[in-house]
PDB file of all heavy atoms in Angstrom:
ATOM      1  N   ARG A 351     -23.876  36.719 -36.737  1.00  0.00           N
ATOM      2  CA  ARG A 351     -25.339  36.448 -36.708  1.00  0.00           C
ATOM      3  C   ARG A 351     -26.042  37.699 -37.006  1.00  0.00           C
ATOM      4  O   ARG A 351     -25.611  38.886 -36.631  1.00  0.00           O
ATOM      5  CB  ARG A 351     -25.730  36.017 -35.262  1.00  0.00           C
ATOM      6  CG  ARG A 351     -25.205  34.668 -34.913  1.00  0.00           C
ATOM      7  CD  ARG A 351     -25.969  33.507 -35.561  1.00  0.00           C
ATOM      8  NE  ARG A 351     -27.355  33.543 -35.303  1.00  0.00           N
ATOM      9  CZ  ARG A 351     -27.905  32.965 -34.198  1.00  0.00           C
ATOM     10  NH1 ARG A 351     -27.068  32.233 -33.336  1.00  0.00           N
ATOM     11  NH2 ARG A 351     -29.168  32.969 -34.016  1.00  0.00           N
ATOM     12  N   ASP A 352     -27.221  37.669 -37.644  1.00  0.00           N
ATOM     13  CA  ASP A 352     -27.997  38.819 -37.833  1.00  0.00           C
ATOM     14  C   ASP A 352     -28.513  39.362 -36.477  1.00  0.00           C
ATOM     15  O   ASP A 352     -28.992  38.512 -35.614  1.00  0.00           O
ATOM     16  CB  ASP A 352     -29.262  38.560 -38.707  1.00  0.00           C
ATOM     17  CG  ASP A 352     -28.972  38.590 -40.168  1.00  0.00           C
ATOM     18  OD1 ASP A 352     -27.945  38.105 -40.627  1.00  0.00           O
ATOM     19  OD2 ASP A 352     -29.849  39.215 -40.834  1.00  0.00           O
ATOM     20  N   ALA A 353     -28.387  40.697 -36.271  1.00  0.00           N
ATOM     21  CA  ALA A 353     -29.033  41.285 -35.001  1.00  0.00           C
ATOM     22  C   ALA A 353     -30.514  41.027 -35.058  1.00  0.00           C
ATOM     23  O   ALA A 353     -31.259  41.656 -35.944  1.00  0.00           O
ATOM     24  CB  ALA A 353     -28.534  42.735 -34.908  1.00  0.00           C
ATOM     25  N   ALA A 354     -31.083  40.305 -34.154  1.00  0.00           N
ATOM     26  CA  ALA A 354     -32.399  39.945 -34.073  1.00  0.00           C
ATOM     27  C   ALA A 354     -33.292  41.005 -33.428  1.00  0.00           C
ATOM     28  O   ALA A 354     -33.769  40.814 -32.331  1.00  0.00           O
ATOM     29  CB  ALA A 354     -32.581  38.613 -33.377  1.00  0.00           C
ATOM     30  N   LEU A 355     -33.309  42.177 -33.981  1.00  0.00           N
ATOM     31  CA  LEU A 355     -33.981  43.330 -33.376  1.00  0.00           C
ATOM     32  C   LEU A 355     -35.234  43.742 -34.112  1.00  0.00           C
ATOM     33  O   LEU A 355     -35.700  44.884 -33.887  1.00  0.00           O
ATOM     34  CB  LEU A 355     -32.922  44.534 -33.307  1.00  0.00           C
ATOM     35  CG  LEU A 355     -31.684  44.259 -32.534  1.00  0.00           C
ATOM     36  CD1 LEU A 355     -30.703  45.430 -32.729  1.00  0.00           C
ATOM     37  CD2 LEU A 355     -32.082  44.118 -31.118  1.00  0.00           C
ATOM     38  N   ARG A 384     -33.035  46.230 -26.751  1.00  0.00           N
ATOM     39  CA  ARG A 384     -32.040  45.190 -27.033  1.00  0.00           C
ATOM     40  C   ARG A 384     -32.632  43.723 -26.747  1.00  0.00           C
ATOM     41  O   ARG A 384     -32.347  43.134 -25.704  1.00  0.00           O
ATOM     42  CB  ARG A 384     -30.769  45.428 -26.202  1.00  0.00           C
ATOM     43  CG  ARG A 384     -29.566  44.460 -26.397  1.00  0.00           C
ATOM     44  CD  ARG A 384     -28.505  44.918 -25.441  1.00  0.00           C
ATOM     45  NE  ARG A 384     -27.302  44.036 -25.555  1.00  0.00           N
ATOM     46  CZ  ARG A 384     -26.972  43.070 -24.779  1.00  0.00           C
ATOM     47  NH1 ARG A 384     -27.894  42.619 -23.874  1.00  0.00           N
ATOM     48  NH2 ARG A 384     -25.909  42.334 -24.982  1.00  0.00           N
ATOM     49  N   TYR A 385     -33.352  43.269 -27.723  1.00  0.00           N
ATOM     50  CA  TYR A 385     -34.020  41.983 -27.547  1.00  0.00           C
ATOM     51  C   TYR A 385     -33.034  40.955 -27.431  1.00  0.00           C
ATOM     52  O   TYR A 385     -32.114  40.721 -28.353  1.00  0.00           O
ATOM     53  CB  TYR A 385     -34.982  41.622 -28.794  1.00  0.00           C
ATOM     54  CG  TYR A 385     -36.039  42.711 -28.906  1.00  0.00           C
ATOM     55  CD1 TYR A 385     -35.985  43.707 -29.963  1.00  0.00           C
ATOM     56  CD2 TYR A 385     -37.172  42.734 -28.096  1.00  0.00           C
ATOM     57  CE1 TYR A 385     -37.011  44.553 -30.106  1.00  0.00           C
ATOM     58  CE2 TYR A 385     -38.199  43.660 -28.255  1.00  0.00           C
ATOM     59  CZ  TYR A 385     -38.009  44.690 -29.219  1.00  0.00           C
ATOM     60  OH  TYR A 385     -39.046  45.523 -29.397  1.00  0.00           O
ATOM     61  N   LYS A 386     -33.127  40.032 -26.412  1.00  0.00           N
ATOM     62  CA  LYS A 386     -32.252  38.950 -26.217  1.00  0.00           C
ATOM     63  C   LYS A 386     -32.399  37.854 -27.184  1.00  0.00           C
ATOM     64  O   LYS A 386     -31.521  37.184 -27.646  1.00  0.00           O
ATOM     65  CB  LYS A 386     -32.232  38.485 -24.829  1.00  0.00           C
ATOM     66  CG  LYS A 386     -31.192  37.419 -24.366  1.00  0.00           C
ATOM     67  CD  LYS A 386     -31.228  37.144 -22.913  1.00  0.00           C
ATOM     68  CE  LYS A 386     -30.094  36.228 -22.509  1.00  0.00           C
ATOM     69  NZ  LYS A 386     -30.147  35.876 -21.097  1.00  0.00           N
ATOM     70  N   TYR A 387     -33.712  37.506 -27.538  1.00  0.00           N
ATOM     71  CA  TYR A 387     -34.073  36.352 -28.365  1.00  0.00           C
ATOM     72  C   TYR A 387     -34.772  36.759 -29.672  1.00  0.00           C
ATOM     73  O   TYR A 387     -35.296  35.874 -30.373  1.00  0.00           O
ATOM     74  CB  TYR A 387     -34.945  35.370 -27.512  1.00  0.00           C
ATOM     75  CG  TYR A 387     -34.302  34.951 -26.248  1.00  0.00           C
ATOM     76  CD1 TYR A 387     -34.807  35.270 -25.135  1.00  0.00           C
ATOM     77  CD2 TYR A 387     -33.181  34.129 -26.273  1.00  0.00           C
ATOM     78  CE1 TYR A 387     -34.194  34.726 -23.908  1.00  0.00           C
ATOM     79  CE2 TYR A 387     -32.512  33.643 -25.156  1.00  0.00           C
ATOM     80  CZ  TYR A 387     -33.103  34.021 -23.932  1.00  0.00           C
ATOM     81  OH  TYR A 387     -32.546  33.563 -22.745  1.00  0.00           O
ATOM     82  N   GLY A 388     -34.814  38.014 -30.085  1.00  0.00           N
ATOM     83  CA  GLY A 388     -35.470  38.458 -31.195  1.00  0.00           C
ATOM     84  C   GLY A 388     -36.906  38.097 -31.234  1.00  0.00           C
ATOM     85  O   GLY A 388     -37.556  37.994 -30.122  1.00  0.00           O
ATOM     86  N   ASP A 404     -34.230  32.900 -30.993  1.00  0.00           N
ATOM     87  CA  ASP A 404     -33.123  33.347 -31.764  1.00  0.00           C
ATOM     88  C   ASP A 404     -31.976  33.890 -30.881  1.00  0.00           C
ATOM     89  O   ASP A 404     -31.998  35.189 -30.609  1.00  0.00           O
ATOM     90  CB  ASP A 404     -33.683  34.456 -32.753  1.00  0.00           C
ATOM     91  CG  ASP A 404     -32.618  34.803 -33.860  1.00  0.00           C
ATOM     92  OD1 ASP A 404     -31.562  34.296 -33.709  1.00  0.00           O
ATOM     93  OD2 ASP A 404     -33.033  35.630 -34.776  1.00  0.00           O
ATOM     94  N   ILE A 405     -31.234  33.067 -30.473  1.00  0.00           N
ATOM     95  CA  ILE A 405     -30.246  33.403 -29.428  1.00  0.00           C
ATOM     96  C   ILE A 405     -28.963  34.082 -30.133  1.00  0.00           C
ATOM     97  O   ILE A 405     -27.867  33.534 -30.201  1.00  0.00           O
ATOM     98  CB  ILE A 405     -29.820  32.210 -28.617  1.00  0.00           C
ATOM     99  CG1 ILE A 405     -31.046  31.432 -28.120  1.00  0.00           C
ATOM    100  CG2 ILE A 405     -29.009  32.660 -27.300  1.00  0.00           C
ATOM    101  CD1 ILE A 405     -30.841  30.155 -27.379  1.00  0.00           C
ATOM    102  N   TRP A 406     -29.134  35.302 -30.586  1.00  0.00           N
ATOM    103  CA  TRP A 406     -28.210  35.932 -31.458  1.00  0.00           C
ATOM    104  C   TRP A 406     -26.923  36.541 -30.611  1.00  0.00           C
ATOM    105  O   TRP A 406     -25.945  36.818 -31.217  1.00  0.00           O
ATOM    106  CB  TRP A 406     -28.754  37.013 -32.271  1.00  0.00           C
ATOM    107  CG  TRP A 406     -29.297  38.262 -31.574  1.00  0.00           C
ATOM    108  CD1 TRP A 406     -30.336  38.308 -30.837  1.00  0.00           C
ATOM    109  CD2 TRP A 406     -28.635  39.523 -31.558  1.00  0.00           C
ATOM    110  NE1 TRP A 406     -30.532  39.483 -30.354  1.00  0.00           N
ATOM    111  CE2 TRP A 406     -29.480  40.377 -30.671  1.00  0.00           C
ATOM    112  CE3 TRP A 406     -27.532  40.071 -32.162  1.00  0.00           C
ATOM    113  CZ2 TRP A 406     -29.254  41.641 -30.487  1.00  0.00           C
ATOM    114  CZ3 TRP A 406     -27.251  41.449 -31.932  1.00  0.00           C
ATOM    115  CH2 TRP A 406     -28.080  42.187 -31.082  1.00  0.00           C
ATOM    116  N   LEU A 407     -27.163  36.704 -29.297  1.00  0.00           N
ATOM    117  CA  LEU A 407     -26.164  37.274 -28.536  1.00  0.00           C
ATOM    118  C   LEU A 407     -25.296  36.329 -27.812  1.00  0.00           C
ATOM    119  O   LEU A 407     -24.499  36.770 -26.943  1.00  0.00           O
ATOM    120  CB  LEU A 407     -26.826  38.276 -27.495  1.00  0.00           C
ATOM    121  CG  LEU A 407     -27.352  39.639 -28.012  1.00  0.00           C
ATOM    122  CD1 LEU A 407     -28.276  40.259 -27.008  1.00  0.00           C
ATOM    123  CD2 LEU A 407     -26.253  40.566 -28.453  1.00  0.00           C
ATOM    124  N   THR A 408     -25.431  35.110 -28.097  1.00  0.00           N
ATOM    125  CA  THR A 408     -24.669  34.081 -27.388  1.00  0.00           C
ATOM    126  C   THR A 408     -23.204  34.334 -27.310  1.00  0.00           C
ATOM    127  O   THR A 408     -22.554  34.268 -26.264  1.00  0.00           O
ATOM    128  CB  THR A 408     -24.899  32.742 -28.103  1.00  0.00           C
ATOM    129  OG1 THR A 408     -26.236  32.415 -28.180  1.00  0.00           O
ATOM    130  CG2 THR A 408     -24.276  31.565 -27.282  1.00  0.00           C
ATOM    131  N   GLU A 409     -22.606  34.787 -28.489  1.00  0.00           N
ATOM    132  CA  GLU A 409     -21.225  34.998 -28.520  1.00  0.00           C
ATOM    133  C   GLU A 409     -20.867  36.520 -28.548  1.00  0.00           C
ATOM    134  O   GLU A 409     -19.696  36.889 -28.961  1.00  0.00           O
ATOM    135  CB  GLU A 409     -20.561  34.287 -29.753  1.00  0.00           C
ATOM    136  CG  GLU A 409     -20.814  32.732 -29.690  1.00  0.00           C
ATOM    137  CD  GLU A 409     -20.281  32.033 -30.932  1.00  0.00           C
ATOM    138  OE1 GLU A 409     -20.577  32.560 -32.022  1.00  0.00           O
ATOM    139  OE2 GLU A 409     -19.388  31.128 -30.714  1.00  0.00           O
ATOM    140  N   GLY A 410     -21.808  37.259 -28.076  1.00  0.00           N
ATOM    141  CA  GLY A 410     -21.463  38.747 -27.957  1.00  0.00           C
ATOM    142  C   GLY A 410     -21.670  39.453 -29.200  1.00  0.00           C
ATOM    143  O   GLY A 410     -22.044  38.897 -30.337  1.00  0.00           O
ATOM    144  N   ASN A 411     -21.771  40.863 -29.132  1.00  0.00           N
ATOM    145  CA  ASN A 411     -21.935  41.670 -30.300  1.00  0.00           C
ATOM    146  C   ASN A 411     -20.757  42.752 -30.333  1.00  0.00           C
ATOM    147  O   ASN A 411     -20.727  43.581 -29.445  1.00  0.00           O
ATOM    148  CB  ASN A 411     -23.210  42.419 -30.164  1.00  0.00           C
ATOM    149  CG  ASN A 411     -23.387  43.403 -31.279  1.00  0.00           C
ATOM    150  OD1 ASN A 411     -22.618  43.462 -32.203  1.00  0.00           O
ATOM    151  ND2 ASN A 411     -24.476  44.212 -31.173  1.00  0.00           N
ATOM    152  N   GLU A 414     -21.469  46.651 -30.201  1.00  0.00           N
ATOM    153  CA  GLU A 414     -22.212  47.369 -29.185  1.00  0.00           C
ATOM    154  C   GLU A 414     -21.323  47.736 -28.062  1.00  0.00           C
ATOM    155  O   GLU A 414     -20.261  47.151 -27.756  1.00  0.00           O
ATOM    156  CB  GLU A 414     -23.438  46.563 -28.685  1.00  0.00           C
ATOM    157  CG  GLU A 414     -23.001  45.400 -27.830  1.00  0.00           C
ATOM    158  CD  GLU A 414     -24.267  44.686 -27.216  1.00  0.00           C
ATOM    159  OE1 GLU A 414     -25.360  44.956 -27.559  1.00  0.00           O
ATOM    160  OE2 GLU A 414     -23.994  43.665 -26.384  1.00  0.00           O
ATOM    161  N   ASN A 456     -24.830  51.395 -30.213  1.00  0.00           N
ATOM    162  CA  ASN A 456     -24.453  50.771 -31.503  1.00  0.00           C
ATOM    163  C   ASN A 456     -24.118  51.833 -32.423  1.00  0.00           C
ATOM    164  O   ASN A 456     -25.072  52.392 -33.093  1.00  0.00           O
ATOM    165  CB  ASN A 456     -25.626  49.878 -31.919  1.00  0.00           C
ATOM    166  CG  ASN A 456     -25.892  48.790 -30.992  1.00  0.00           C
ATOM    167  OD1 ASN A 456     -25.524  47.707 -31.167  1.00  0.00           O
ATOM    168  ND2 ASN A 456     -26.717  49.095 -29.948  1.00  0.00           N
ATOM    169  N   LEU A 471     -29.896  51.078 -27.501  1.00  0.00           N
ATOM    170  CA  LEU A 471     -30.839  50.111 -27.156  1.00  0.00           C
ATOM    171  C   LEU A 471     -30.876  49.777 -25.582  1.00  0.00           C
ATOM    172  O   LEU A 471     -29.781  50.045 -24.947  1.00  0.00           O
ATOM    173  CB  LEU A 471     -30.491  48.777 -27.826  1.00  0.00           C
ATOM    174  CG  LEU A 471     -30.453  48.850 -29.296  1.00  0.00           C
ATOM    175  CD1 LEU A 471     -29.870  47.580 -29.968  1.00  0.00           C
ATOM    176  CD2 LEU A 471     -31.802  49.131 -30.010  1.00  0.00           C
TER     177      LEU A 471
END
Side-chain angles (χ1 to χ4, degrees):
R351 292 286 300 272
D352 275 47
L355 301 171
R384 183 179 179 263
Y385 301 104
K386 188 173 182 179
Y387 302 116
D404 191 353
I405 312 174
W406 70 285
L407 284 169
T408 306
E409 296 177 314
N411 177 9
E414 70 177 6
N456 297 260
L471 301 175

